[in-house]
Amino acid sequence: MVEGPGCKIKGEKIKGKLNGKIVKSVNGNAVDKEIKPTKGITTSQFHQLIGRRLDEVQTVGKELFMYFGDICLRVHFLMAGSFLVNNKKLDHDHGGTAETASLEIQLSEDKLSFYKSGVNIRSSQVCQERYEKFHDLDICSPVFNQKRAVAMVMEQTDRMVCDVLLDQDILPGVGNIIKNEALFDSGIKPDSKVNELKEEHVLHLVKMTRDFSMIFYKCRSTGTNLRKFMKIYNKGKCTQCDGKVVICRLGEDNDRVTYFCGQCQDNNLKQKQTRTLPTKNSLLGWVQTGKLQQTTQAEEAVDWACSVCTLVNRATTVTCDACLTKRESNQTPGVMKQNSKAASTLSNGTKDNPINLTANSQKRKSSDPVTSSNLKRQKIDKVVKNDEKQDIVVNKIPLCPGHKQKCNLTEVRKKGDNYLRWFFSCSLQRSKQCKFFKWADESFPLCEGHVKPCTIRTVMKQGQNNGRKFFTCSFPKNKQCGYFEWAIGYD
C-alpha cells in the first residue's frame, strides 16, 4: 500500500505543477462506472469539477484532498496507486499503472491521471475538518505533535500495538512497512498490548515511528532505495542478531504480514518488573542535517576472509558462507584479512589444534573438499532436517543474468490469463533491473487431484515451521485437493 510518505510527496508534486489550473474535462473508469445511458444517467459526480479551478492540495495520512471551491476530490492510492502528469511520472514511488486510468482530469494546460486509486467527490468543508483534526498526528507532518500522539496511543489499552500503529485515526500515514520497522527499532513485539507498556516505551515507539517515516519520505523524495534502511520487513534473518525472523499475520487486519525477531523484540513484557529502553539511537542523524547519506556502513565495508577456510565473504555477513565460522571480533567490516596461516592449518592442522570442522559442519554436510574453486560464491542457501539427517539443499531460485543476483519470486496479481502465476525477475530496484523474466511455476509440481501446477505459500503460523514455503493446490480452498509438499530450495 502507498504509505503516508508516498502520499505526501504526490500531493506536493501535484500542487507544485497544477495549482490554479481549470478543469476542462474528466474521464476514466470511475466516470464510466457511473454513466448509464440506458437509465438516462449521462453524467457522473466527477463532472462537477468541469469549469472549476484547483485552489489547494492537502494530504493527511494516506488521503489526498484537491479543493475546487466548495467541493473536494478525495484520492486514496490504495495498494499500488500512482499518478501521471502529461503521461510523465513526477515522483519516485513504485505505484503501478493500468490500461485505463481510474480518473483522468484534463486541465487548462495539463492532464492529470490517477491509476489504481480510489476517488470520490466530497464536501470541501468535510475534508478540511478532517485535515484540521488530524494534520498534527500525520506521521509526516511538519507540525507533528508527539505528545498528542503518545496520549492517543496510550488510550488504546487493550489493543495490540501492531493494530494501534495502523489505525489511521491515531497515526495517519503509518503503513505496514513503517509499522514493522518502528516496532523492531523500539524492541517491542507486535502482539504486545498497549497496557503492558509504560509511557516511556510508547514515547520511544512513537519517536521510532516518526523517524522511520521521515527516512521513508527522504528516500521517496530522492529516489534512494529504501530497502537498505530496512532491518526487519521482508527479511528472512534478523539484521541485528542473525536469528530467524518470524513471519505471521496478527491483529485486526490479517491481510497485513507482520515480521519480528523473537530475540530482539521483547516477547515477555508481563513477567518483567522493569523494562529498559533499547539502546538504538535515533535513525535520523542524516535527516536532521538535511543531507542524505549516499552510502551505508555495509557499502563502505570491505569483504573479510574466514580464519578457518580462508573463503572471502561479503562484508555484511557475520558467519562464513562455507564453514559457518563466526567472524572474529578483530575482523571488523572494512578490513580484509588474508590469513595464509589459516590456509595451512586447514590443510594440515597443528599438533595443539588439529583441524576439526565438525562443529561448524553439523549444519552443512558435503562430500566435496573445501577448496576455493568450489566455494567461490556458490550458495547453499538452506539446510533442513529430514529423518534426523541434515542434507544440503541447493537454491532453486536463479540468478539474473545482468547482475548475478538472486531473483525475486513474485505472484501475478493483475487480473488476466496469468493471474496468480509465479515468476522470477531481477531483484534490483526498478530503475536498475536487467529485465530478466522467467515463469517459475513451470517447474512447480503438479497437484494430484487436478494435475495442475501448484502454487507456493508461506507458513504464517508461529512455530518451528514458521516462514517455510510449501506447495499446495492452486484451486480455491473449497475445491482444493489437499496436495502438500515443502517447497525446498525456494527460500
Side-chain angles (χ1 to χ4, degrees), residues 69-86:
D70 60 349
I71 62 173
C72 177
L73 173 64
R74 184 255 189 187
V75 182
H76 193 294
F77 292 97
L78 306 178
M79 291 300 297
S82 65
F83 80 100
L84 299 177
V85 175
N86 300 326

Side-chain angles (χ1 to χ4, degrees), residues 18-189:
L18 304 176
N19 216 35
K21 303 294 178 67
I22 297 175
V23 178
K24 298 296 184 181
S25 63
V26 294
N27 55 64
N29 288 333
V31 176
D32 297 338
K33 286 180 181 178
E34 296 187 11
I35 296 177
K36 299 176 181 178
T38 56
K39 296 184 178 181
I41 302 175
T42 57
T43 61
S44 70
Q45 59 176 316
F46 304 101
H47 282 82
Q48 301 175 67
L49 299 174
I50 297 176
R52 293 176 179 262
R53 185 171 70 96
L54 177 59
D55 299 320
E56 179 63 284
V57 178
Q58 293 177 333
T59 59
V60 58
K62 302 176 184 179
E63 296 176 282
L64 170 70
F65 300 132
M66 299 177 64
Y67 297 95
F68 298 86
D70 60 349
I71 62 173
C72 177
L73 173 64
R74 184 255 189 187
V75 182
H76 193 294
F77 292 97
L78 306 178
M79 291 300 297
S82 65
F83 80 100
L84 299 177
V85 175
N86 300 326
N87 298 319
K88 293 182 180 179
K89 195 173 179 66
L90 299 186
D91 64 345
H92 297 285
D93 217 346
H94 302 312
T97 58
E99 292 182 3
T100 306
S102 302
L103 179 65
E104 189 172 274
I105 304 175
Q106 182 64 55
L107 296 114
S108 48
E109 299 173 3
D110 302 282
K111 182 176 69 173
L112 172 63
S113 305
F114 293 106
Y115 293 89
K116 298 184 177 181
S117 304
V119 291
N120 58 20
I121 298 295
R122 295 184 178 181
S123 162
S124 289
Q125 182 180 349
V126 171
C127 294
Q128 185 64 39
E129 288 175 355
R130 177 166 177 79
Y131 175 80
E132 293 296 335
K133 182 178 180 180
F134 292 107
H135 80 283
D136 66 337
L137 290 175
D138 186 332
I139 202 64
C140 291
S141 172
V143 293
F144 179 69
N145 188 336
Q146 181 172 277
K147 184 177 181 180
R148 184 187 175 201
V150 171
M152 293 282 286
V153 173
M154 292 290 290
E155 291 176 0
Q156 311 299 309
T157 54
D158 293 327
R159 296 177 70 190
M160 294 182 185
V161 287
C162 61
D163 291 328
V164 175
L165 288 182
L166 290 178
D167 192 327
Q168 298 304 296
D169 287 338
I170 297 175
L171 289 172
V174 175
N176 205 38
I177 296 176
I178 297 174
K179 175 202 79 175
N180 282 285
E181 293 296 327
L183 286 168
F184 179 77
D185 288 323
S186 304
I188 297 174
K189 191 178 177 184

Side-chain angles (χ1 to χ4, degrees), residues 5 8 138-142 144 178 207-221 226 284 286-288 292:
K8 179 178 175 63
D138 186 332
I139 202 64
C140 291
S141 172
F144 179 69
I178 297 174
K207 176 175 173 51
M208 293 296 100
T209 306
R210 166 73 171 180
D211 282 3
F212 190 81
S213 298
M214 296 311 296
I215 289 176
F216 201 137
Y217 174 79
K218 279 289 184 179
C219 287
R220 288 291 186 261
S221 297
L226 179 65
L284 281 178
W286 56 271
V287 173
Q288 291 168 347
L292 182 64

Side-chain angles (χ1 to χ4, degrees), residues 418-453:
N418 293 316
Y419 181 58
L420 298 183
R421 290 194 65 183
W422 289 86
F423 64 92
F424 296 118
S425 63
C426 180
S427 60
L428 271 63
Q429 63 186 96
R430 295 190 182 185
S431 60
K432 298 180 180 179
Q433 285 182 349
C434 62
K435 310 302 180 184
F436 174 76
F437 178 91
K438 180 182 179 181
W439 287 115
D441 54 11
E442 291 178 347
S443 60
F444 286 4
L446 304 180
C447 68
E448 297 171 351
H450 307 95
V451 197
K452 297 289 185 182

Side-chain angles (χ1 to χ4, degrees), residues 275-477:
R275 179 173 181 269
T276 58
L277 289 173
T279 57
K280 302 182 184 73
N281 294 320
S282 171
L283 307 172
L284 281 178
W286 56 271
V287 173
Q288 291 168 347
T289 62
K291 182 179 180 182
L292 182 64
Q293 293 177 341
Q294 298 299 322
T295 58
T296 62
Q297 181 180 5
E299 291 174 325
E300 295 171 350
V302 181
D303 294 351
W304 59 280
C306 177
S307 59
V308 176
C309 70
T310 72
L311 175 70
V312 176
N313 296 274
R314 287 176 297 182
T316 53
T317 59
V318 294
T319 57
C320 177
D321 285 341
C323 65
L324 301 180
T325 299
K326 286 189 176 182
R327 182 171 60 198
E328 296 179 1
S329 58
N330 62 344
Q331 285 183 287
T332 56
V335 179
M336 180 178 286
K337 185 175 179 181
Q338 300 294 343
N339 195 332
S340 58
K341 182 177 179 180
S344 174
T345 302
L346 178 66
S347 302
N348 306 315
T350 64
K351 181 178 179 180
D352 298 328
N353 185 25
I355 185 65
N356 183 0
L357 296 180
T358 303
N360 289 322
S361 299
Q362 286 179 351
K363 296 182 181 178
R364 175 187 177 277
K365 293 184 179 181
S366 175
S367 59
D368 297 332
V370 182
T371 63
S372 59
S373 60
N374 61 27
L375 289 176
K376 188 71 174 180
R377 291 302 175 216
Q378 290 185 0
K379 289 274 185 170
I380 298 175
D381 276 346
K382 188 165 184 178
V383 180
V384 295
K385 278 191 175 183
N386 184 21
D387 296 330
E388 298 182 354
K389 294 182 180 180
Q390 293 181 345
D391 302 318
I392 294 175
V393 178
V394 179
N395 199 317
K396 295 181 181 179
I397 298 179
L399 306 181
C400 67
H403 308 94
K404 305 301 180 185
Q405 297 288 329
K406 187 176 177 180
C407 287
N408 282 335
L409 178 59
T410 310
E411 188 177 30
V412 177
R413 305 303 300 179
K414 183 178 180 180
K415 297 287 186 179
D417 294 339
N418 293 316
Y419 181 58
L420 298 183
R421 290 194 65 183
W422 289 86
F423 64 92
F424 296 118
S425 63
C426 180
S427 60
L428 271 63
Q429 63 186 96
R430 295 190 182 185
S431 60
K432 298 180 180 179
Q433 285 182 349
C434 62
K435 310 302 180 184
F436 174 76
F437 178 91
K438 180 182 179 181
W439 287 115
D441 54 11
E442 291 178 347
S443 60
F444 286 4
L446 304 180
C447 68
E448 297 171 351
H450 307 95
V451 197
K452 297 289 185 182
C454 288
T455 189
I456 196 167
R457 293 288 180 255
T458 302
V459 177
M460 295 294 180
K461 184 178 179 180
Q462 297 186 48
Q464 64 179 7
N465 288 320
N466 178 265
R468 290 188 66 182
K469 288 184 169 57
F470 62 93
F471 293 116
T472 187
C473 179
S474 60
F475 278 58
K477 284 189 176 181

